[in-house]
């Protein structure tokens, strides 16, 4: 209508502008090739060639479509559009182009550049109140979180995008945000709400005749049907979606659908159809040329080689996929981002592992798993980056985050808490953008996995190292001593082990016996090892749900494993080897201990830190009900004072109003051999960077009392031991084969050689008794692992041989456990 109106008015420039928009709008219901041809014809017209604004507009429209067919051409067109926008002083259009170039940087595998470009575009969109850009960029950011299985974070972002669209009628329906929100809900196992969202979005796409979004939404519905175990319905919807996408020349959607469809056909037993879909997906992906998805493509080719029994070729392709992944991950500067992205790609490593296991190549199978497990903890161990000058923006944002979190701790009203949570999320997102931009010149160095023989050489004669792998069906355990190695298939499958572990943990936390489950788990996990390897010390690299399992609380025919074995843990064999290779840099001072924190400053607790507790006892965790009081820990004063007496001269004790975050950070932390923190803790499974030890607040300081994961990793420690005498300090986000992100790993990264952390809410009085016994044994020159085992055995002896493991098994030691610690000066 506008085009016709301007033609009647003989306003040729406006008529062309409207015509370009009309051509672009038709791409939602007709093949892209037709739209490309018409837009390119317009671009070559004299009017558009000589009018910079029209040329910028035409390039913008063409590039916005090209992303679904050819990323390289889209990049060239967006760069040309951005250049014209800058020449014209059109900052808003320049920012939009910058954001789209960020998407392409992501597809090229340069995630740090992508975050920088997207972050700059998003900040500009908010400064200029550009609602359309806000909606699109938030949707793209959320889809990135979906890719990395960070569904809780994604969900919050999609909600913001949808709310913004609903307040902005001219913005149109936010199809991307609806699709992403549905995927996030399904990822959180909220299947019904996810299906309802897609049903609504599909109805609107069909009503508007938008075939592009209809195909996209149908494909997402099919993925949710896979999650809901309805493979036949998923197959039907995938085929409907790909028929539309192929007609529209939408290679990106075709590629995604065919890879998914291949797996569905494989599960249904239709192997020829699976291979056909895979080859179609590969052809579409090659057309796009995205490096980000190259590992997926190489993995798919390797699968085909496996079905053809060409195992050597498959092994080479898997290795190439992992090499590309390494290069992509090296461009990310966030520990959490790295771990999440590697975890989302676990299937590549697991399929390669299966091949190596089938070929009987133990060393190769081990290298594959070590290439992902605990890789980023290993890469950051003992790396001490120069702090440098922090920008004013970063300092300001960190201050704003601390202020918001302190307000959350002190607030009760649901409305005010909700608004503060939204502000916290926005500030955290902006801080991530700023930190990423500050580190753009730095490239992450990923350490190579330690060879199995090197790990064996680092083991003592009385040690056996176990690395578990819970594969799709079967479960395995790598076993290594200083003179032998083996890959053992466990007698129970992965599903059984997961179910038993969940059941036993529920029994432990409810203080029920669970004895029969403990026996079953022992027979599944440890008995096959113990029968052949009599070593008294067991070092475990857990997988999946096993990260939360205290193996010493399993039962053999003589009772708890604790009675006969000394059990410690490590994120991976490579981390264990690096810790053994590190030259000991002993601190000058014995102990820094923190306890008896004054929690009056924190009247209430943030929603994202709430979890279950036992009302009858004082627990070193956070309260169950939002708005409940954060209780003092009366036992911690006695615990810390007694430990300081045991440690002797050179001890520093922070109690009461001295037990604050500011005072703790001001200590010469690198000088202490032992750091002991007897506080409340906040484990956040959805936002692991927020997990924190809860200290006090110094009046008029900029700190919020929350010593969080992101802050801990920046500390400079040389401690032989850090003890986290608090709740859930070993709990974190499980990133599948990549491991977990938690407080324990943060302290290892900060420089600690060993960390004692907890697996659940620990009771105050029993914790005090256990810690006193632990430090008494350390003072008697027992090594760390033996001292902790003896302290637990003391608890069993003192309170009866069947003393419930809830009171003693929650604390586990990760890292190097065979060193003794010199207490006193």
């Amino acid at each position: 209508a506008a085009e016709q109106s301007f033609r009647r008015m003989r306003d040729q420039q406006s008529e062309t502008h409207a015509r370009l928009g009309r051509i672009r709008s038709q791409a939602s219901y007709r093949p892209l090739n037709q739209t490309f041809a018409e837009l390119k014809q317009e671009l070559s017209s004299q009017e558009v060639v000589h009018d910079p604004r029209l040329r910028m507009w035409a390039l913008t429209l063409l590039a916005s479509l090209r992303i679904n067919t050819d990323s390289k051409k889209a990049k060239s067109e967006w760069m040309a559009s951005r250049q014209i926008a800058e020449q014209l002083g059109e900052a808003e259009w320049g920012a939009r182009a910058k954001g789209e170039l960020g998407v392409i940087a992501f597809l090229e595998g340069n995630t740090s550049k992508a975050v920088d470009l997207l972050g700059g575009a998003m900040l500009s969109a908010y400064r200029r109140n550009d609602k359309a850009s806000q909606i699109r960029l938030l949707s793209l950011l959320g889809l990135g979180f979906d890719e990395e299985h960070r569904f809780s974070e994604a969900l919050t972002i999609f909600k913001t995008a949808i709310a913004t669209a609903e307040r902005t009628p001219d913005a149109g329906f936010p199809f991307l945000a609806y699709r992403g929100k549905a995927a996030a809900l399904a990822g959180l196992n909220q299947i019904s709400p996810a299906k309802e969202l897609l049903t609504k979005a599909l109805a609107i796409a069909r009503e508007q005749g938008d075939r592009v979004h209809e195909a996209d939404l149908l494909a997402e519905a099919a993925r949710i049907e896979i999650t809901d175990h309805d493979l036949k319905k998923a197959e039907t919807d995938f085929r409907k979606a790909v028929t539309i996408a192929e007609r529209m020349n939408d290679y990106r959607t075709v590629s995604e659908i065919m890879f998914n469809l291949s797996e569905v056909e494989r599960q249904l037993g239709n192997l020829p159809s699976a291979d056909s879909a895979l080859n179609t997906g590969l052809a579409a992906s090659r057309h796009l040329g995205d490096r980000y998805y190259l590992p997926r493509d190489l993995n798919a080719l390797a699968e085909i080689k496996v079905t053809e029994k060409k195992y050597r070729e498959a092994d080479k392709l898997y290795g190439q996929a992992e090499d590309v992944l390494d290069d992509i991950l090296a461009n990310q500067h966030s520990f959490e981002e790295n771990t999440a992205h590697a975890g989302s790609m676990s299937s590549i490593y697991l399929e390669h592992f299966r091949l190596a296991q089938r070929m009987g190549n133990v060393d190769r199978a081990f290298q594959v798993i070590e290439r992902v497990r605990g890789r980023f903890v290993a890469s950051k161990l003992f790396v001490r980056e120069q702090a440098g000058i922090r920008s004013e923006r970063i300092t300001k944002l960190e201050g704003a985050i601390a202020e918001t979190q302190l307000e959350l701790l002190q607030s009760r009203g649901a409305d005010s808490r909700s608004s503060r949570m939204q502000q916290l999320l926005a500030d955290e997102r902006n801080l991530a953008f700023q930190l990423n931009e500050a580190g753009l010149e730095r490239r992450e160095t990923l350490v190579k996995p330690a060879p199995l023989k090197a790990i064996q050489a680092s083991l003592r004669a009385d040690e056996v190292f176990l690395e578990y792998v819970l594969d799709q069906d079967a479960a395995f355990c790598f076993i290594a001593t200083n003179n032998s190695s083996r890959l053992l298939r466990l007698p129970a499958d992965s599903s059984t082990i997961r179910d038993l572990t969940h059941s036993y943990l529920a029994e432990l936390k409810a203080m029920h016996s669970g004895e029969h489950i403990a026996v079953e788990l022992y027979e599944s996990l440890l008995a096959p090892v113990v029968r052949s390897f009599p070593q008294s010390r067991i070092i475990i690299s857990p997988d999946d749900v096993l990260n939360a399992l205290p193996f010493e609380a399993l039962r053999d025919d003589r009772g708890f494993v604790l009675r006969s074995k000394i059990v410690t843990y490590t994120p991976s064999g490579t981390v264990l080897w690096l810790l053994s290779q590190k030259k000991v840099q002993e601190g000058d001072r014995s102990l820094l201990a923190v306890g008896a924190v004054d929690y009056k400053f924190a009247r209430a607790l943030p929603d994202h830190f709430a979890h279950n507790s036992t009302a009858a006892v004082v627990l070193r965790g956070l309260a169950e009900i939002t708005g409940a009081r954060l209780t003092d820990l009366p036992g911690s004063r006695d615990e810390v004072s007694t430990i300081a007496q045991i440690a002797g001269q050179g001890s520093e004790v922070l109690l009461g109003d001295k037990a604050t975050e500011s005072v703790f950070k001001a200590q010469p932390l690198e000088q202490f051999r032992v750091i002991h923190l007897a506080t409340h803790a906040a484990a956040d499974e959805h936002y692991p960077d927020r997990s924190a030890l809860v200290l006090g607040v110094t009046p008029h300081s900029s700190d919020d009392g929350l010593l969080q994961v992101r802050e801990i990793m920046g500390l400079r420690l040389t401690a032989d031991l850090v003890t986290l005498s608090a709740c859930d300090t070993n709990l974190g986000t499980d990133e599948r084969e990549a491991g977990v992100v938690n407080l324990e790993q943060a302290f290892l990264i900060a420089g600690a050689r060993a960390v004692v952390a907890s697996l659940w809410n620990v009771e105050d009085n029993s914790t005090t008794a256990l810690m006193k016994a632990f430090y008494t044994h350390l003072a008697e020159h027992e090594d760390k692992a033996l001292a902790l085992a003896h302290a637990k055995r003391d608890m069993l002896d003192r309170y009866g041989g069947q003393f419930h493991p809830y009171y003693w098994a929650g604390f586990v030691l990760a890292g190097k456990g065979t060193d003794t610690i010199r207490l006193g000066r």
Side-chain angles (χ1 to χ4, degrees), residues 593-599 618 620 632-643 653-656 659 676-680 725 764-765 767-768 772:
V594 181
V597 177
D598 182 356
Y599 287 117
V618 177
R620 298 192 183 185
D632 290 335
L633 299 169
S636 67
R637 179 181 292 275
D638 179 35
E639 175 185 321
V640 166
S641 300
T642 303
I643 288 169
V653 178
L654 304 179
L655 296 171
H676 183 98
L677 295 134
T679 69
H680 281 296
S725 183
D764 192 38
N765 293 323
T767 297
T768 297
K772 287 180 181 179

Side-chain angles (χ1 to χ4, degrees), residues 485-529:
S485 63
R486 183 186 305 177
L487 175 57
L488 179 70
R489 182 169 180 150
L490 298 174
D493 61 32
S494 295
S495 179
T496 300
I497 290 171
R498 288 189 185 98
D499 290 344
L500 286 171
T501 302
H502 284 302
S503 297
Y504 188 44
L505 290 172
E507 291 285 284
L508 286 180
K509 293 172 186 179
M511 287 184 274
H512 297 156
S513 169
E515 183 173 346
H516 68 287
I517 306 175
V519 171
E520 282 189 72
L521 277 170
Y522 175 81
E523 289 298 322
S524 299
L525 297 170
L526 285 179
V529 177

Side-chain angles (χ1 to χ4, degrees), residues 247-288:
R247 285 177 185 161
M248 303 295 291
N249 311 129
D250 186 346
Y251 292 105
R252 185 169 304 286
T253 303
V254 169
S255 172
E256 291 175 3
I257 291 171
M258 296 313 272
F259 277 101
N260 293 147
L261 179 60
S262 172
E263 182 56 34
V264 169
E265 297 291 13
R266 199 174 300 281
Q267 290 185 46
L268 290 171
N270 305 329
L271 297 185
S273 295
D275 287 347
S276 174
L278 203 54
N279 282 308
T280 303
L282 282 167
S285 189
R286 287 193 195 99
H287 197 96
L288 290 163

Side-chain angles (χ1 to χ4, degrees), residues 341-355:
H341 186 65
S344 70
M345 296 292 182
S346 286
S347 60
I348 293 176
Y349 300 97
L350 284 172
E351 285 169 18
H352 194 185
F353 164 79
R354 284 176 214 136
L355 174 64

Side-chain angles (χ1 to χ4, degrees), residues 62 74 140 214 231 245 255 448 453 487 499 514 623 647 653 689 718 725 729:
L62 183 58
L140 292 170
E214 182 183 358
L231 294 180
S255 172
K448 291 183 178 179
K453 291 190 182 300
L487 175 57
D499 290 344
V653 178
D689 272 4
T718 59
S725 183
T729 46

